[in-house]
Amino acid sequence: MKWRLLALAGGSLLFLLACLVLAKVSPLEAGQTLVQGSLGSAAALTGTLRETTPLLIAGLAVFIALRAGLFNIGVEGQLTIGAFCCSVVALRLPGFLGIVVGLIAGMAGGALWALPAGWIKAYRNGHEVITTIMLNSVAVFLTTYLAAGPFKAPNQQEPSTEVLSDGSHLPVLLSIRALHINVGLVLGLMAVAVCTVWLSKTVSGFRFQATGANPVAARFAGVETKPTVMRAMLLSGALAGFGGAVQVCAYEFRFYEGFSPGYGFDALGVALLAGNSAVGVVPASLLFGILAKGGTALQIDGVPKGITVVVLGLLILIAAAIRYRKVNVVA
């Protein structure tokens, strides 16, 4: 089986090189531009960490759902709803109180948006992939309507809320010249630490994972699987909404049409690359952040940004093959 994985990795590398050659791009120069654009300077690293923050929290949201046996594709919509709720609340409660209540509102919004999919999955056995995909579209259209109508800033041409006051911004924790590390990233890392301890050290975390591993066996062991599925989807939605709220308070300072460039969908890849440990979400999200920021530098140099999508796709393919191999070995 190992030789198959090596063949897959080698074939993926050759495919990537072929894509670069067809795009008339030197692989060496593309690699240098990618690294330089994402890690080569303090400003570049700041941009990478900015891209990493929402991917870290959204990836954790998908990971939690996966541990309970759920494939929450609705993180994009839940993150969008959370960001909108946070913007509305923080605008009306400026200052530190606005930040705290705004983050809570974002979590509540994300959880409530995940509630229908969780209930349908738990009590009607409806597939969460279908329900969450539909809720994504509803979330985007609903928030766009609200940002273009009742909550639109009077001085904005595009659908957008007003900009938060300076007192409602999450502060920069560390600033060294052009390197800025926002508290939002620290909150994401804290969420990973809490989830890691909870999953590995608590009874409820064990029930979560038992339900995801084998719901039939979990029921025979006395685990109430239906409420567990509900809680899993609600927790996943709350984390996704928290990611949107952090993005508002730390970086964007308002909600606008097209707020998320696809963080919720990229979070699926982050969670898959993370493996079986919540800690794995950290390097996986950083990798996605590097490729996102470096992809912009590649595009400036005339390299198609789609090359980074190819890289991510190949990485996810290899990660899925490794996970499939582990499952077979255990079986």
Side-chain angles (χ1 to χ4, degrees):
M1 193 66 178
K2 289 183 178 180
W3 69 266
R4 293 181 182 177
L5 288 176
L6 292 173
L8 177 61
S12 299
L13 180 59
L14 289 175
F15 180 76
L16 177 60
L17 293 175
C19 290
L20 290 171
V21 171
L22 289 174
K24 299 180 180 179
V25 177
S26 166
L28 182 59
E29 291 180 2
Q32 290 175 340
T33 301
L34 180 68
V35 173
Q36 188 66 27
S38 58
L39 303 172
S41 66
L45 182 56
T46 297
T48 296
L49 295 178
R50 174 172 178 158
E51 292 289 338
T52 299
T53 302
L55 292 170
L56 172 66
I57 303 175
L60 183 63
V62 178
F63 176 84
I64 288 295
L66 285 174
R67 298 309 296 167
L70 299 172
F71 203 57
N72 183 12
I73 300 185
V75 167
E76 179 77 3
Q78 295 149 17
L79 183 148
T80 300
I81 291 292
F84 178 80
C85 291
C86 177
S87 298
V88 172
V89 170
L91 281 169
R92 283 151 180 75
L93 292 172
F96 178 75
L97 179 63
I99 296 175
V100 175
V101 179
L103 293 176
I104 294 173
M107 295 179 69
L112 287 174
W113 203 252
L115 176 61
W119 185 86
I120 291 172
K121 173 65 176 179
Y123 296 100
R124 289 295 182 268
N125 202 30
H127 206 294
E128 72 276 10
V129 170
I130 297 174
T131 53
T132 52
I133 284 177
M134 292 190 294
L135 284 170
N136 279 340
S137 298
V138 177
V140 171
F141 290 131
L142 175 62
T143 53
T144 298
Y145 162 74
L146 293 173
F151 297 95
K152 185 177 184 296
N155 58 340
Q156 292 285 347
Q157 297 296 324
E158 62 176 353
S160 170
T161 63
E162 294 183 34
V163 178
L164 301 183
S165 63
D166 291 343
S168 297
H169 298 180
L170 282 171
V172 174
L173 180 66
L174 178 65
S175 182
I176 304 175
R177 296 184 181 178
L179 175 63
H180 307 294
I181 299 177
N182 194 277
V183 169
L185 178 61
V186 178
L187 291 177
L189 294 173
M190 289 173 62
V192 170
V194 170
C195 287
T196 299
V197 174
W198 171 66
L199 285 172
S200 61
K201 302 295 183 181
T202 66
V203 174
S204 59
F206 171 78
R207 289 172 178 166
F208 242 62
Q209 300 193 78
T211 300
N214 192 323
V216 176
R219 280 198 299 272
F220 277 104
V223 177
E224 296 181 351
T225 55
K226 291 182 179 181
T228 300
V229 168
M230 274 290 297
R231 286 192 290 268
M233 188 61 81
L234 289 174
L235 178 57
S236 179
L239 285 169
F242 179 66
V246 167
Q247 188 70 1
V248 168
C249 293
Y251 301 113
E252 302 295 346
F253 311 126
R254 65 187 176 109
F255 181 87
Y256 53 89
E257 182 180 13
F259 177 84
S260 172
Y263 292 132
F265 298 118
D266 289 343
L268 299 171
V270 171
L272 289 173
L273 285 179
N276 296 323
S277 171
V279 176
V281 173
V282 178
S285 60
L286 179 60
L287 175 61
F288 271 64
I290 289 171
L291 290 172
K293 185 66 177 68
T296 302
L298 286 173
Q299 197 171 22
I300 293 174
D301 280 4
V303 180
K305 193 175 182 180
I307 291 294
T308 59
V309 178
V310 174
V311 174
L312 289 175
L314 294 174
L315 287 173
I316 293 171
L317 177 64
I318 295 171
I322 294 173
R323 174 170 291 190
Y324 175 76
R325 175 177 179 269
K326 288 181 179 178
V327 170
N328 278 355
V329 169
V330 171

